[in-house]
Amino acid sequence: MKMNDMPPAANLDAADPYRFTTVAHRAHRFGGPLSEGKASMMVELLGLQAKSQVLELGCGKANLLAMVLKRWGCSGLGVDVNPHFIAEARRAHFALVAGGRLKLLEQSGGALLNKGGEYDAAICLGAAHYLGGLQRLLTDLRRCLNRGAVVLVGEGYWAKAPTPAFLELIGGREDQMGSHAENAQRARGAGYDVLYTSTASHDEWDEYEGLYAKNVLDFCYRNPDDSDTPAWRARVERWQDGWLRWGRDTLGFAYYVMRLR
């Protein structure tokens, strides 16, 4: 994505609840610590067909979903609550949308899961906590999937026990996440075979977190008189400091390719 693919950050309504995350992810291709090479490898592992129907929950800019559809010639639906991400996805993947192979909806994934469906594959990267956690997500997904459907989930885990200071920084609890192995166990317990796992590297994390901070600080530098600038600068500097002190060695992120039994 080019930096000018999004509307100027200063033009986003200051009352917009998605303003910060839109600015913070302005230069990201994916909404998590994921390299292009690893994304391509996992797309290949899905092993879909042209007739396959793919669902992505929390699709963001839908770049990963578009990669899947282009590789396998299939069709898909992406949902996200951020209207700016959905608008960008429609622009970036206009040919897929216009051809009827990609449908994009501005709504929560939870509302979609309650309706059920018939999908041959599903993707959810870093959005399980918005949908009740990993166990709840995988259980609810079963209503939407055909038997033998493949699922790609990206989920956080503790690489080591978090310090109280880091938990305070993120406003979280230690029991909100488990280990990498516990994530895989939860998937098996929900009725999936775990086919493949991979963890985000320090390089992938550095790129994700580095761009996150730079995007926000660039906004603050270019918009010194914006009403959000003082709070955003303090917010990102506090996060950057905590990430380097504790987060980089504590918070892991893993990718799980699984199949519904």
Side-chain angles (χ1 to χ4, degrees), residues 6-23 81-85 106 227-228 232 235:
M6 292 287 291
N11 292 345
L12 297 176
D13 189 334
D16 186 339
Y18 303 107
R19 192 184 197 214
F20 181 86
T21 192
T22 300
V23 170
V81 295
N82 187 326
H84 309 297
F85 288 164
E106 179 194 328
S227 60
D228 282 327
W232 283 15
R235 174 177 174 176

Side-chain angles (χ1 to χ4, degrees), residues 7 24 32 42 51 62 104 108 137 141 146 163-164 173-174 187 191 213 246:
M42 290 190 296
K51 65 179 182 179
L104 296 162
S108 73
L137 166 67
L141 258 180
N146 295 320
T163 64
R173 307 184 315 274
E174 186 170 355
W246 311 295

